[in-house]
Each structure stands twice: as structure tokens, then as C-alpha cells.
Amino acid sequence: CLSFCLQCKEFTFHTGYEALVQRLLDGRKMCKDVEDLLKQRAQAEERYGKELIQIARKAGGQTEINTLKAAFERLKQQIESVGNSHIQLAVMLKDELKGIEEFRERQKEQRKKYESAMERMQKSKLSHYKKTMESKKTYEQKCKEADEAEQSFERTSASGNQKQTEKSQNKAKQCRDAANEAENVYKQNIEQLDKVRTEWEQEHIKTCEVFQLQECDRITILRNSLWVHCNQLSMQCVKDDELYEEVRVSLENCVVESDIDYFIKTKMTGTQPPDAIGYENYYSREPNRSNSSPTQSCGMMKRFSGLLHGSSKNNTESATPSAPPLGMPLQEITEKTDVVYASIFVNEQAGITSSQDYRVLYDYTAQNVDELDISEGDIVVVIEENEDGWWTAERNGQRGFVPGSYLKKL
């Protein structure tokens, strides 16, 4: 701190002190710059956090299903959590900002106290310096006048004029007394000025030491504040990564096959596509219509339509010839395949009348009064093989229609 004083060559200059005060003012501006940085960063973090929360809450995803929907919901939750953490970071930055503002104001009050004391000391020093220089000027003037009076007395004494000599002697004595008095005043002012200078120098040293401590505190506070700020940002990045890691874990549990299976199970409408629509020759059915009553013909048409579609005509109990019962051995299925999947062809004749024995391959429950109940393994007598796939069969004295594809010729 003394270097600021030693640089001042002139007694009335305060260049060193002014340089130190300017340094403190620059430090105060630096504090404000850091405050502005933290303030703007806090505003940005708060704005960013609120936008993240708004994005997370407005995000859709309600149409998705299963594991991907869960992962997306987790992402929305974590984005909202990240937004809240950034808002919390903004609060922490504002608290740090408030601390720097309070520190800056404390330093300002302390600096003003010492600046006021230094200003008083400097004014006192300049005032005494000015007074001393004026007394010095008076002293020098009085000394010149005394020297001139003494020289005039010596010249008058040499002329021998007694009256002039006494007059010159009295004048020389008065001038010397005035010079001596001016000298005493000058010496007193010098002593007083030196006392003021000593006090000023002590106050200056004290002020410089206080200002140096202020500068050390300011640099330490700002350094620590910026360090804490960087740590806060690093911790925020780590926290964000931890939250997003939970999303990545949720995405690891997202299985494509599982979502596909879930969709199929919840939205399945069936396991088999509809059968093809069979061709019905209008003219080939004319003879059969002429030999059958309208009621019987209509029933046969319904049976043929149900047979082609793989379903019964009244309920969901299927009479599909192409579906062998569960548990049947592969060999037996193979043996029966030719009969089950035999093509239904259209014959030009109305039907084939015969009386032959057939074995029943599958169970069938009559759906109409004109149909016959049959069970697997029964032996029936086929009376007539109609071209619509429904044959007239007889068992135990009962006669009715049965699916021709359910029978195998013995």
C-alpha cells in the first residue's frame, strides 16, 4: 500500500491513493458484472425449466400402448423433473446473487467511511500546506526587507549624518524584528504541517490496509462464487443425466414383440380369415329345385352357404369340415384329409341316389329339424348324395341331412 504513496513526488498530489480508489471502483463494477451474469443465468434457467414443464404436460402419447407408452410416460415425467430441478437451480443462483449484492453494499459502506476520513485529512494537509507556503513567502519577504534596511543603515552611517543614521538604524531594527517574527510563524506552520502530514500518512496507511483487505475479500468472494456456480451447473448436468438414465432403463424394457402381442391380444377379432365365396351354378340347381319342395330347397341353400363359410347357420358352433378335432393323431388326420378337403364339384345331375355304408369322421349336432345327429365312429347309410354337400343319411331308423365331408366310405 505504501507504494501508492511513494509514487507521489509532489506533496500535494494523491495519485497513489486515487489509483487505489479507482481499483476499488473497478472491483465494485466487477461485482455488478458477476451479479448481472448470475441474474441472467437464473432467468434463463427458470425460463428453461418452465418451458420443459409445459412441454412435458402438453406432450401426447395417449394413443400408444404397452411398454412404449410406459417409456414415453417416464420420459414426460423425467422432463418435468428436469424442469423443476432447473427452476430450483435458478432459486440457488438468485440466493448467490443476493449474497454478492449484500457483500458489495457492505464494502461500499466501509469504503465510504475511510474515504471520508481520507478526504478530511487531505483537505487539512492541503490547507496547512497552503498556509505554510504563504508564511514562507512572508518570511522571505521580511528577510529581504531587513537585509535592505541594514544595508541602508550601513550606507547612512558612512555619510556621517547622525539623524539619518538613527532613523536608518531604527528601521533596520524594526525590519529585523518583523523578519524574526515571520520566521517564527513560518517555523510553527512547518511544525504543524509536519504533524498534519504525519497524521495523513498514518490515516493513508490505515486506509490502504483496509482497502487491500477489501480487495482480497472481493476477489475471494467472486472466485468462490464463480466456483460454486460452476459446481452447481455440473451437478445439474449430472442430475439431468441421472433422470434421463431412468428413461433409458425404461426404454430397455420396451420390447417390440411384446407391444405387437399386446395389440393383437387386446384388438384381436378372430384367428382365421373368412372363407372364399363358392360358385353356385343356377342352372345346375334347377332339377334339384323341381324335385324338392320350396322349404326343403331353401334349407339346402342355407346349409350350402354355411358349409362354404365354415360356420353353422344359426349359432357360433362351427360345422367346418376343414378343421379336424383336437387330439387326433397325425396319421389319422392324413388319412382323412382326402375326404375333409375334397373339392365340391358341380354335377349336371341333380343328385346321386345310392345306399352305401359310411363311417362318421367327426361329431355333428343337428341344427334343423331335417338334419341328423351323428357321432364320430358311427356307421350310417347314405341314401342320397346332394351336390350342395349335404347328404341324406339314415341311422337307427332315423333319416336326415348330414355334411358329406364328415363321412368316409367303407
Side-chain angles (χ1 to χ4, degrees), residues 22-43 93 96-98 100-101 103-105 218 221-223 225-226 229:
Q22 184 61 43
R23 173 59 187 168
L24 296 181
L25 293 176
D26 293 341
R28 176 178 172 82
K29 185 178 183 304
M30 178 60 183
C31 288
K32 290 184 177 180
D33 291 342
V34 174
E35 291 169 14
D36 290 340
L37 184 145
L38 295 179
K39 182 178 180 180
Q40 294 179 15
R41 183 58 188 263
Q43 292 175 348
L93 293 178
E96 187 70 22
L97 170 63
K98 185 178 180 181
I100 296 178
E101 290 177 347
F103 168 76
R104 174 171 55 82
E105 291 302 319
R218 183 190 68 83
I221 289 295
L222 292 183
R223 173 184 175 274
S225 178
L226 295 177
H229 178 62

Side-chain angles (χ1 to χ4, degrees), residues 276-317:
I277 304 300
Y279 169 74
E280 298 182 21
N281 192 310
Y282 176 81
Y283 295 100
S284 65
R285 296 182 61 83
E286 289 298 327
N288 191 29
R289 290 184 179 181
S290 60
N291 296 330
S292 302
S293 63
T295 304
Q296 182 180 5
S297 177
C298 181
M300 294 178 63
M301 289 294 292
K302 289 183 178 179
R303 294 190 193 95
F304 183 70
S305 175
L307 186 63
L308 289 178
H309 284 80
S311 60
S312 63
K313 53 186 177 299
N314 289 334
N315 55 30
T316 56
E317 294 183 2

Side-chain angles (χ1 to χ4, degrees), residues 326-376:
L326 295 176
M328 178 180 290
L330 179 61
Q331 183 177 1
E332 185 176 351
I333 296 176
T334 305
E335 293 175 355
K336 299 179 181 181
T337 301
D338 294 339
V339 177
V340 173
Y341 297 100
S343 301
I344 300 175
F345 61 93
V346 178
N347 196 347
E348 293 297 330
Q349 299 176 357
I352 301 176
T353 303
S354 62
S355 297
Q356 298 183 9
D357 294 338
Y358 284 79
R359 180 191 298 167
V360 178
L361 299 178
Y362 313 114
D363 294 341
Y364 177 74
T365 302
Q367 305 296 321
N368 289 317
V369 294
D370 58 350
E371 295 178 354
L372 180 67
D373 291 335
I374 56 176
S375 300
E376 181 182 359

Side-chain angles (χ1 to χ4, degrees), residues 69-223:
K69 181 177 181 179
F72 188 71
E73 291 297 326
R74 172 67 66 174
L75 175 61
K76 292 196 296 181
Q77 294 173 3
Q78 299 308 82
I79 289 177
E80 186 170 353
S81 298
V82 170
N84 289 325
S85 65
H86 279 273
I87 293 177
Q88 184 62 32
L89 174 60
V91 174
M92 297 170 61
L93 293 178
K94 290 179 181 179
D95 293 339
E96 187 70 22
L97 170 63
K98 185 178 180 181
I100 296 178
E101 290 177 347
E102 293 175 352
F103 168 76
R104 174 171 55 82
E105 291 302 319
R106 287 197 304 269
Q107 281 206 333
K108 178 182 177 182
E109 295 299 325
Q110 188 180 24
R111 187 178 69 253
K112 281 185 176 181
K113 177 181 176 182
Y114 284 92
E115 284 180 348
S116 298
M118 281 297 297
E119 186 177 357
R120 288 194 302 269
M121 293 302 300
Q122 289 174 358
K123 287 182 178 180
S124 177
K125 186 183 76 165
L126 292 176
S127 176
H128 280 82
Y129 175 78
K130 184 178 180 181
K131 184 178 180 180
T132 301
M133 292 300 102
E134 290 177 355
S135 63
K136 178 184 178 181
K137 185 176 180 181
T138 302
Y139 163 67
E140 291 175 350
Q141 183 65 29
K142 294 299 182 181
C143 288
K144 289 179 181 180
E145 292 177 357
D147 290 343
E148 291 177 356
E150 289 176 355
Q151 291 175 4
S152 176
F153 170 69
E154 290 176 0
R155 288 193 298 271
T156 304
S157 298
S159 65
N161 189 342
Q162 187 65 26
K163 188 176 180 179
Q164 281 297 116
T165 300
E166 290 180 4
K167 185 177 180 180
S168 296
Q169 184 180 5
N170 291 335
K171 183 177 180 181
K173 184 180 179 181
Q174 290 176 357
C175 289
R176 180 56 60 187
D177 291 341
N180 292 334
E181 184 179 358
E183 182 180 7
N184 291 332
V185 173
Y186 176 48
K187 287 180 179 180
Q188 291 177 359
N189 289 335
I190 286 292
E191 293 175 359
Q192 186 67 27
L193 179 60
D194 187 63
K195 182 180 178 181
V196 172
R197 182 196 63 79
T198 302
E199 294 177 354
W200 171 84
E201 184 175 341
Q202 292 176 352
E203 185 66 26
H204 187 276
I205 293 173
K206 181 180 179 181
T207 302
C208 288
E209 290 175 351
V210 172
F211 284 177
Q212 181 176 350
L213 290 176
Q214 279 197 337
E215 186 67 4
C216 291
D217 291 343
R218 183 190 68 83
I219 294 175
T220 302
I221 289 295
L222 292 183
R223 173 184 175 274

